Every structure is written in structure tokens, then in C-alpha cells.
Amino acid sequence: MTEIAAEVLIERLADWGVDTIFGIPGDGINGIMEGLRRQSDRVRFVLVHHEEAAAFMATAHAKATGRLGVCLATSGPGGIHLLNGLYDAKLDHQPVLAITGMQETSVLGTGYQQEVHLDHLYADVAEYNLIVDNPTQLPGVVDIAVRTAYARRGVAHLSLPNDVQVAPATQDPYQHVAPARPPATAPIYLSPPGMPRTEDLEAAADVLNASERPAILAGAGALHAREEVLAVAEVLGAPVIKTLPGKAVIPDDSPYAVGGIGLLGTRPGEELIEDCDTLLMAGTNFPYTKHLPEPGKVRVVQIEADPIRAGVRLPTEVPMIGDAREGLAGLLPLLKPRSDRAHLEKYQRAMDRWRDDMTALQSPERDPIAPQYLMGRIDRAASDDAILTCDSGTIATWAARHWTIRGNRRFYLSGNLATMAPGLPYAIAMQLAFPGRQVIAFIGDGGFAMLMAEFLTAAHLNLPITVVVNNNDSLGQILWEQMVLGFPEHGVRFGRPASDFSAWARSCGGYGRKVTDPADVDEAVRQALAHDGPALVDVNVNPDEPPMPGKVGYDQAVKFAKAFLKGQPHKASIATTLFKDKISQLGR
């Protein structure tokens, strides 16, 4: 049987260690599907129900494993559907390869059916972007695409026309020059040096040693540097703020943890940003500058992997280029141990109060069900190595504050893109990557409805994922954003009665349960976690529970009040919920 170009593509990806490709077949990639069939002993093809989900799964695979994620779509509409998930990879700096089909080369430019020039469409999202028009380009361009995705921490794209896919692998129709032929040995990626320059480490140590009220802001780039972050925090006596994508950097019950900053952050985290005199940023390029210290008020040291991003958020006295773990390890012996722990102890007391406040909101007596209680019961029932995936919206607030990082737990969501709908595809990809671990998707009803067909994907694969739908029958985050802007809510509630997604789960052959009574939450979550296969619990929660910032600013409070005065249609139930929240906290 003659080896075809598409087979070489798949072979070379397998040489790179790719073992899974997510996608949907189509007439624009039939040759690639044949290549996958011929190499099915080396590469698994995961059939999904929407190409957007395939791209989310590839991104999740990259986030969780550190290895290249790969997604596949047909020409035209299939390739278009990938884009949202690919932007998730781009904005969160994850190595992903997108493979798409293209019409036969002889008809390009004629307005042929589904003729969409995906290389043009992907010009913004892809770091490497190529239409393969000669079979002998493979596997050389595969190597370049993979290396680019790793080196630039982003998306690479290869598009293969139909006739190229099925052409003999050695066919060279032009023969102008000899094609580049990579060695037959397994390819390798040589990562750049991870240790910052010695003079930068010394300058950073001087700044940190001179600080009186230091703080550490750790992000997703430091997820592999837990021990180093904790060691530096111990020497400096520095509280540690975690970005939301970096929530698993250190445990939430660590004596150094003060939670996050921003709208989903904690009060101690916000107060620390206002109070610190020196900030060490490790593995983060936190984009929300209004939640960072006022420029010029603090001394800033940053460890950043990308020279382009170093120092772009704040005036940075010492920007260091390197890996967070290696940089912190190199910095550690240069730091002077701090004996005065008053600064750290101040924030430990503040965090004790914050944790009490959050626990008080997890009341089983609240009816309608408080979303904080739902997340708290998931947190209590889940294992110490569980992986939680989360969608965007109010649910990210409940997960940020009530999902406790302990043991080897992990937490993943769409960070900088903050798109809806990745929670379920993320969970599927992570269960495939880590089949022995508990994987839970915490999703709002709005996000789940967008890609709910992927629950059927989980059922076909018999994956033991647990999906918990936080059903407030609204687009909750937008509702509260409208009010903070001083506008009465409009166009954000789907309308009662709330949908019942548990019926969909059962129709797919999975476990499905609808919960409307707080007394049933605990049992339903535990049964779902124990189910040998995909399970879904759809919980009606209080739609008027506000995701309040950790520290409410004066302007926010004024605009919130004005929205009420302008005729907020649900002001009575919202006011009642706010009153119950405060009573719960005062009565703890």
C-alpha cells in the first residue's frame, strides 16, 4: 500500500509524542482521516460533536500535560469553528497545533464550495501558518510547526489541500530544489535556558532584601514551582497572591496564601496590593492593571518567560527573563531571611477572617440554594487529587473562593480569553489525559447549553467525568456587571422554570439528577462522583446571589445603588439575598 502524505503527517506527529487528536471528519480531510486510520496504533482520534470543543480539548490537553495539543477540522466551516478554542490557547500561551483541510489545489481561487482561505483567517491566531502544497514538505514543516508552538507558546496551523493529503508521500511535482529532509530519528525540542542572568538575580535580590512589606504575585507560569514559591515566601515573610489561572500554585490553606485579586479575588489580597512596598511577580503577566499597585508606589521585580511581556504591566525595576521555577531557585540563596513576621502575620489574621466569612456563606439553610453551598459541597466531597474545570461567569467566583487547593488538586479555566463553554470540553480532555483521577466540570447553565452535545461525547467514551451545572437560569455575570455600571438588568434572564439538563444526561446514557432542595445537594454530588461513567447534577441555585468583589469600591457601591433607584426589577429578592449573606457572616 503506497504511503500517502497524510500518513507522513500523522507519523511525524507520533514521533513528537502526540498520542491524541481531537476533531470531526469532513470531506475536506478524508485523506488525513485515512492517515489516522493507518496510524491508529500510535495516535488516537477522539470524535467530538463540535469543532470548537475539539480546539478547547487540545488547549486543555496542553494546559494539563505541558505537551502539544492537536485538533483537526475540515475545510471551510469546520476550520472556522476551531477559532474560539484556538484563541483560548493563544491568549493563555499554550502549544496547540490546528490541522485543517483545503480544497484541491486545482480549484483554489475559483469560488469553489466551502473555499475559505483559512491561512488568511488564522493570520492573527497562529504563530506558524502554512498551506502545504507539496507532499515532500512533510515531515519538515511538521517539525517547524511543532517547535514554533512550543517556543512561542501558541498556535501553529497546517492546512492540507485534498489532493496533497492523498498524494504519494514522495511525490514532488515541481522538483525545483531538493526538499529539506529532517533526520529519521525522533525529533526533539531544545527549550531555551530557564535561569535568568546572574546580574539580574543579584539586582532582584537587592530589591527584595530591602523591602519591608513584600508580596508575591504568582501565576500560571509558576504552577510547576510550588516548592520554590513557598521557599521564597518563607525567607521573605511574604504573603502570596495567586492569579485565578495560577490558583493551584500553592495550597489555599498555606500560611502564605491570601487568595487572589480582581473581581474574583479576596479582601486580604486586595488590601495587600494597596499595602505592599515591593512586589515579586512570578510566572504572571496579570492584565487587569487597575487591580495592581499604583505605578511608582511599589518596587517591582518580575520573572517572565517572554522578553516581550516583561515589564509591560507596571514600571519594573528588575525584569528577569527565565523560567519561574529556575528563577526562584536561583534567587533563593541570595535572599536574606526575615525575622520580623509582623507583615505576614497581619495577612494571616485577615485570611482567617476571610475564610470564616466564606464558610458562613456555605449555609445549607439557604433556600433557594446558595451557589457557595453547592461549590462547598463539591469541595468537601472531591478527592485530594481532583481536577476542577470551570466555565466563565459567576461560577468562576464561586470556584475561586470555595474550591480549595489541597494535595495535588488542580484548577483550569479560560484565563485571558474568559470565554464561555470550555468547562465540559476541558473535563473530557483532562479525563483522557489522566484516566485515574477525578475530574469535575463546574459550569453555568449558559455555558453548558453552548456545547452540551459534548456530554454525549463523554458517554460514547464512557468517561467518568462529573458535571455540576450551577443553574441560575440567567447570564449571571453580565447581570451584575450591568448593575455595577448603574444600569438595571436587561436581557440576561432566560426565564423560569429553569431548564432541566439532567434529562439530557439520562438520554445520553449517563447519570442525571435535578436538585432543587438544599437537603439533596450533598447526596447528589456524592452519587455523581461515585458513578462509573459520565454524571451530571443540575442544581437550581439562587439567581439573585451577587458575586461581590472581595473589596467593594466606593464607585461600585454608588453605581449599584443607582441601578436600584432606576428600577431594578428584582431588587426585593436581591436585597433579601444580600441581607441573608451579611446575617450569615455576622452569625458565624
Side-chain angles (χ1 to χ4, degrees):
M1 184 166 52
T2 302
E3 186 177 48
I4 60 175
E7 190 174 358
V8 174
L9 167 70
I10 304 303
E11 285 177 341
R12 198 60 175 174
L13 289 175
D15 291 342
W16 273 101
V18 172
D19 59 12
T20 304
I21 294 178
F22 305 95
I24 298 179
D27 56 10
I29 52 173
N30 279 330
I32 297 174
M33 293 304 299
E34 172 62 12
L36 280 165
R37 187 193 67 80
R38 296 184 187 186
Q39 295 293 321
S40 58
D41 59 330
R42 300 184 69 191
V43 179
R44 168 179 54 185
F45 176 70
V46 176
L47 174 61
V48 305
H49 284 80
H50 197 290
E51 289 92 351
E52 182 182 6
F56 280 140
M57 291 177 193
T59 301
H61 178 89
K63 286 183 176 183
T65 68
R67 303 193 308 272
L68 183 76
V70 183
C71 53
L72 173 65
T74 190
S75 55
I80 294 169
H81 283 161
L82 289 178
L83 268 178
N84 195 45
L86 295 181
Y87 271 102
D88 188 32
K90 174 185 172 70
L91 269 64
D92 280 356
H93 313 293
Q94 298 301 319
V96 167
L97 173 64
I99 303 170
T100 62
M102 182 68 74
Q103 281 69 26
E104 286 80 356
T105 55
S106 61
V107 299
L108 291 178
T110 68
Y112 201 74
Q113 185 187 35
Q114 295 189 340
E115 184 182 346
V116 176
H117 290 262
L118 295 172
D119 55 323
H120 296 178
L121 187 67
Y122 285 19
D124 179 62
V125 77
E127 299 287 345
Y128 185 83
N129 188 12
L130 181 69
I131 296 178
V132 178
D133 54 15
N134 188 324
T136 58
Q137 288 177 273
L138 301 165
V141 295
V142 174
D143 288 1
I144 297 171
V146 173
R147 289 192 176 110
T148 302
Y150 277 130
R152 298 183 183 171
R153 304 294 300 174
V155 176
H157 170 230
L158 293 174
S159 188
L160 278 69
N162 271 331
D163 51 332
V164 174
Q165 295 172 31
V166 298
T170 58
Q171 178 176 305
D172 185 354
Y174 308 114
Q175 298 181 346
H176 295 309
V177 295
R181 297 189 184 280
T185 56
I188 60 171
Y189 170 67
L190 300 175
S191 59
M195 181 66 73
R197 297 183 304 182
T198 300
E199 56 266 38
D200 292 338
L201 288 168
E202 292 172 347
D206 289 342
V207 172
L208 294 167
N209 286 331
S211 66
E212 295 182 358
R213 301 185 308 279
I216 298 172
L217 177 60
L223 284 170
H224 65 311
R226 174 177 290 187
E227 298 307 317
E228 290 76 13
V229 170
L230 291 171
V232 170
E234 167 63 23
V235 171
L236 292 176
V240 178
I241 303 164
K242 301 180 293 180
T243 68
L244 191 55
K247 181 174 171 61
V249 171
I250 66 172
D252 281 316
D253 58 0
S254 164
Y256 307 102
V258 294
I261 52 176
L263 294 177
L264 280 62
T266 66
R267 188 184 309 112
E270 291 288 325
E271 291 173 347
L272 177 60
I273 282 292
E274 297 172 359
D275 178 44
C276 67
D277 65 0
T278 305
L279 182 65
L280 168 58
M281 299 175 68
T284 181
N285 191 38
F286 190 78
Y288 308 105
T289 53
K290 71 177 182 179
H291 294 287
L292 291 173
E294 186 177 336
K297 290 291 185 71
V298 299
R299 304 179 75 181
V300 179
V301 171
Q302 183 180 14
I303 303 173
E304 169 58 57
D306 187 344
I308 296 173
R309 297 198 300 267
V312 302
R313 303 301 182 194
L314 285 172
T316 303
E317 191 167 342
V318 186
M320 295 178 285
I321 308 305
D323 174 75
R325 180 168 61 186
E326 293 188 46
L328 292 170
L331 190 61
L332 193 59
L334 304 176
L335 300 176
K336 298 176 182 178
R338 187 182 307 274
S339 57
D340 183 0
R341 316 301 274 187
H343 172 64
L344 175 61
E345 290 168 356
K346 172 184 175 181
Y347 287 95
Q348 289 173 339
R349 292 191 294 272
M351 275 306 291
D352 287 342
R353 293 192 294 272
W354 174 263
R355 292 184 183 107
D356 286 345
D357 285 347
M358 292 301 100
T359 300
L361 295 175
Q362 297 178 19
S363 171
E365 305 302 321
R366 303 272 296 278
D367 193 1
I369 298 167
Q372 300 96 323
Y373 175 64
L374 172 60
M375 187 68 251
R377 302 321 292 177
I378 297 169
D379 180 65
R380 177 169 294 197
S383 63
D384 284 352
D385 69 344
I387 298 171
L388 184 77
T389 68
C390 186
D391 239 39
S392 298
T394 56
I395 48 163
T397 302
W398 317 134
R401 295 175 178 172
H402 301 275
W403 172 252
T404 306
I405 297 298
R406 60 174 185 263
N408 196 32
R409 281 186 173 182
R410 291 291 180 265
F411 175 75
Y412 296 99
L413 80 171
S414 175
N416 285 305
L417 187 60
T419 180
M420 294 174 67
L424 176 55
Y426 269 28
I428 291 171
M430 290 178 188
Q431 190 71 78
L432 287 168
F434 303 106
R437 294 179 68 170
Q438 203 174 61
V439 179
I440 306 165
F442 185 56
I443 313 176
D445 53 297
F448 180 75
M450 287 183 173
L451 288 175
M452 60 190 288
E454 301 310 327
F455 191 86
L456 188 56
T457 301
H460 287 157
L461 296 170
N462 196 33
L463 294 178
I465 63 168
T466 299
V467 179
V468 181
V469 180
N470 183 84
N471 195 336
N472 58 15
D473 212 44
S474 66
L475 299 173
Q477 189 72 35
I478 308 306
L479 184 160
W480 296 104
E481 287 174 350
Q482 288 178 354
M483 293 183 63
V484 168
L485 288 170
F487 306 142
E489 63 173 73
H490 181 71
V492 290
R493 300 198 190 233
F494 293 113
R496 295 283 173 174
S499 50
D500 183 0
F501 294 110
S502 68
W504 166 246
R506 291 191 296 274
S507 73
C508 293
Y511 172 93
R513 180 166 176 179
K514 182 70 172 181
V515 176
T516 59
D517 188 331
D520 296 332
V521 170
D522 197 53
E523 179 196 9
V525 168
R526 291 183 181 278
Q527 286 184 353
L529 289 171
H531 182 69
D532 185 19
L536 183 147
V537 180
D538 182 2
V539 183
N540 283 11
V541 299
N542 186 355
D544 298 315
E545 183 70 39
M548 299 297 287
K551 188 173 183 179
V552 180
Y554 175 78
D555 289 343
Q556 288 174 311
V558 169
K559 290 176 179 178
F560 192 83
K562 285 182 178 179
F564 267 68
L565 294 175
K566 285 182 180 178
Q568 166 57 241
H570 295 271
K571 60 185 177 183
S573 57
I574 293 172
T576 299
T577 298
L578 288 168
F579 176 75
K580 288 180 178 178
D581 283 353
K582 186 53 64 177
I583 291 296
S584 295
Q585 291 173 340
L586 293 174
R588 62 179 183 271

